[in-house]
Every structure is written in C-alpha cells, then in structure tokens.
Amino acid sequence: MGKSTLLNKILGQKIVIATDKAQTTRKRIKGIYTTDEGQIVFIDTPGVHKPLNKLGEFLLDEAKVAVPDADLILFLVDGSEPAGKGDKWIAQNILQTNIPVIIVMNKVDKTKKLEKIEENLLTYKTLFEKNYPIVRISAKTGRNIDTLIKNIYKNLPEGGLLYPEDVVTEETMRDVTEEVIREKILLNTSDEIPHSVAVKIEKYQESDDIDRIYATIYCETKSQKGILIGKGGNLLKKIGTEARLELEKIVEKKVFLGLEVKVEKDWRKKEKVLKDFGYKQE
C-alpha cells in the first residue's frame, strides 16, 4: 500500500524497508519528523491481513496495539482501486475509535481519470459513519505530502518535543541491519521465500574504520535454503553484497558482512522461536 514508502519520503531518508511485496513491514517502527512547527512521531505498522500462522497473529497485533496510543490515525488506502473487503474489515474492527482519522488516498497518480478517483473515494468514505477528511497523495512522487503534513499538525495536541530535534528513529543498527538484509532477500526472491525468512544478527562489532556483522538467515525448508544460497552460492553472495553496500552508506565506513543460512522448520508457527527472532510484543 505504500506506508513505508510514504514515511521514508516524509523523513527524507530511508528508515524502513519498502518493497512491492505484501507484509514487508513486520514490526512497528517509529519515524520522527521535526520542523519549526512541531514534532510528529509516526508509527509505521505492518499491513493488516488475515493471520495464517503465529507470525500473522503477531503482525495483526502490532497494527492493533498502535491504535489506542495514537493521537491521529492515517488510514492509507490505494486510491487507484475501490474499497475492498479488507478495507471494510479494518474500518469496522480496528478504526471504530474516537481518535481522529485522516483517509490518505495513495497512488492517485496511477489513475488519469478524475471521475474514477472520485468514485473510488466515495467507496472509502462510506466505510465510516463520521465524515473524515481525505488527502490525495502519491507516496512515490511526494505529491501533496505537504498538504498531508499540514493536516496532521492541525490534528495533533500541543506539547513539548518528545525526542531531540536530530533524531529520526529509535531503531538500533542491529535492527536496521536485519531489515536491510531482509529487504535484499525480498527483492531477489519470489513465491513463498520472502514470507518464510527471518534474519537474526548474531554478532555486531563496531570499530572506527570497519563494522563486522555476522547474521543468520532462517528459512523453513531445505529447498528454500538451496534457493537462498543459489548455484555456487551466487544468490547469497548477491544478497550479501547489496546489503553490505547499503549498510556502508548508512554507517559511512567499511562493513564486513558474514551471512549463513539455516533451516528452522515451521518457525512462523512457533511462539518460542518467534520471540527468539524478535517478534514479541513490547
């Protein structure tokens, strides 16, 4: 839907991974936007999907848990499509709340016909009894994001800064590294692989001139392991190189990245393993 793309665009830098695959985001991630007007703390949540396993239940909980603490909810929808069953379910089960909502119609640049966008718009409006404001945007191009920011500031309470002005996220470099590796896997694989993979940082050693990072990629079957490693180790090498180059840009120094692949059968169904991989409710 473009939540992560939108957040990265607003912050002017990449803090969350964004791919066109469903459920790219697996944990709540904070993005902190500060201007002279004030500070907005965004919480990027996993997309809401019907849970098929323990991991799916965790992802749904991550989205649900974020709602009661919010001062404002941005309901990001695909403006090039009319509202579907999933949107209706979210409106009825998650957004029945007194917290103000802004309907953010993304991907409006995909549809040239204005009347089609207006038709789609009506299908989202009718999901709610209240008359919520609507902002049409393109997360990809940045169109109308300034209008969205103005609308957000209007709906936020007054108060002091929650974070220092130069902070854009609470994520640690270990978190960032796991996500960057997972993004490169998502971009280089297809079918079931992206969903059946977890990344765990085993060791992160920092020094002035180089960071040495050792990570394990977990998948669920031997055949998935074979695909991830690739012929002569080619795919794993490609994933490692792409991740290392991106990490070097972030830390602004050399990075050594050691990757290995292990099988943890049906890990998405096992609560204990999920917790070990960092999928636990804070």
Side-chain angles (χ1 to χ4, degrees), residues 220-236:
E220 294 191 312
T221 64
K222 263 189 179 165
S223 61
Q224 289 169 354
K225 181 179 175 177
I227 293 166
L228 278 163
I229 291 170
K231 200 173 178 185
N234 275 348
L235 185 59
L236 190 62

Side-chain angles (χ1 to χ4, degrees), residues 113-142:
K113 291 178 183 165
L114 272 176
E115 63 270 24
K116 183 75 191 128
I117 290 173
E118 293 309 310
E119 279 171 30
N120 293 345
L121 183 81
L122 268 175
T123 65
Y124 289 104
K125 273 191 118 164
T126 52
L127 295 175
F128 301 97
E129 284 165 22
K130 294 176 188 168
N131 192 17
Y132 289 128
I134 289 159
V135 182
R136 303 164 180 78
I137 66 149
S138 165
K140 206 173 180 181
T141 66

Side-chain angles (χ1 to χ4, degrees), residues 155-174:
N155 282 281
L156 292 183
E158 287 191 11
L161 296 186
L162 295 171
Y163 293 91
E165 284 177 34
D166 57 343
V167 172
V168 288
T169 185
E170 281 188 326
E171 299 301 291
T172 66
M173 266 319 292
R174 287 179 88 101

Side-chain angles (χ1 to χ4, degrees), residues 47-48 75 85-96 128:
V48 177
F75 181 37
K85 277 185 194 165
D87 299 298
K88 192 175 180 182
W89 189 91
I90 293 167
Q92 289 173 348
N93 292 278
I94 294 182
L95 301 182
Q96 289 298 325
F128 301 97

Side-chain angles (χ1 to χ4, degrees), residues 14-246:
K14 182 168 159 181
I15 69 151
V16 275
I17 64 171
T19 75
D20 56 4
K21 293 188 169 76
Q23 294 191 331
T24 295
T25 304
R26 281 186 179 171
K27 297 175 187 174
R28 279 171 290 153
I29 291 176
K30 274 185 193 169
I32 300 140
Y33 176 80
T34 311
T35 63
D36 294 342
E37 206 171 333
Q39 190 172 72
I40 304 170
V41 180
F42 291 94
I43 313 281
D44 184 22
T45 67
V48 177
H49 296 269
K50 193 176 177 183
L52 301 172
N53 46 43
K54 288 276 181 209
L55 177 64
E57 287 168 21
F58 168 82
L59 300 184
L60 182 58
D61 285 344
E62 282 285 272
K64 280 182 175 173
V65 164
V67 171
D69 291 338
D71 294 307
L72 173 68
I73 295 161
L74 302 181
F75 181 37
L76 190 70
V77 300
D78 184 344
S80 65
E81 304 273 342
K85 277 185 194 165
D87 299 298
K88 192 175 180 182
W89 189 91
I90 293 167
Q92 289 173 348
N93 292 278
I94 294 182
L95 301 182
Q96 289 298 325
T97 166
N98 292 323
I99 299 161
V101 173
I102 296 175
I103 300 170
V104 183
M105 285 189 77
N106 188 25
K107 301 186 183 176
V108 289
D109 50 334
K110 267 178 79 176
T111 310
K112 294 287 173 271
K113 291 178 183 165
L114 272 176
E115 63 270 24
K116 183 75 191 128
I117 290 173
E118 293 309 310
E119 279 171 30
N120 293 345
L121 183 81
L122 268 175
T123 65
Y124 289 104
K125 273 191 118 164
T126 52
L127 295 175
F128 301 97
E129 284 165 22
K130 294 176 188 168
N131 192 17
Y132 289 128
I134 289 159
V135 182
R136 303 164 180 78
I137 66 149
S138 165
K140 206 173 180 181
T141 66
R143 178 178 159 191
N144 271 355
I145 283 178
D146 50 348
T147 310
L148 176 61
I149 296 288
K150 277 178 198 157
N151 274 277
I152 293 170
Y153 274 129
K154 269 188 222 164
N155 282 281
L156 292 183
E158 287 191 11
L161 296 186
L162 295 171
Y163 293 91
E165 284 177 34
D166 57 343
V167 172
V168 288
T169 185
E170 281 188 326
E171 299 301 291
T172 66
M173 266 319 292
R174 287 179 88 101
D175 299 329
V176 170
T177 303
E178 281 179 6
E179 289 294 274
V180 167
I181 296 166
R182 202 164 62 79
E183 179 187 54
K184 302 313 170 195
I185 296 165
L186 289 170
L187 294 171
N188 282 291
T189 59
S190 58
D191 304 323
E192 186 51 22
I193 303 274
H195 303 290
S196 57
V197 160
V199 178
K200 192 179 174 195
I201 304 301
E202 308 294 351
K203 201 191 272 182
Y204 195 120
Q205 296 170 318
E206 287 182 63
S207 67
D208 291 344
D209 52 353
I210 188 166
D211 283 3
R212 294 180 184 279
I213 307 165
Y214 299 86
T216 306
I217 298 166
Y218 287 93
C219 54
E220 294 191 312
T221 64
K222 263 189 179 165
S223 61
Q224 289 169 354
K225 181 179 175 177
I227 293 166
L228 278 163
I229 291 170
K231 200 173 178 185
N234 275 348
L235 185 59
L236 190 62
K237 205 175 285 174
K238 186 171 189 278
I239 290 164
T241 302
E242 287 178 13
R244 178 179 58 76
L245 292 172
E246 180 148 344

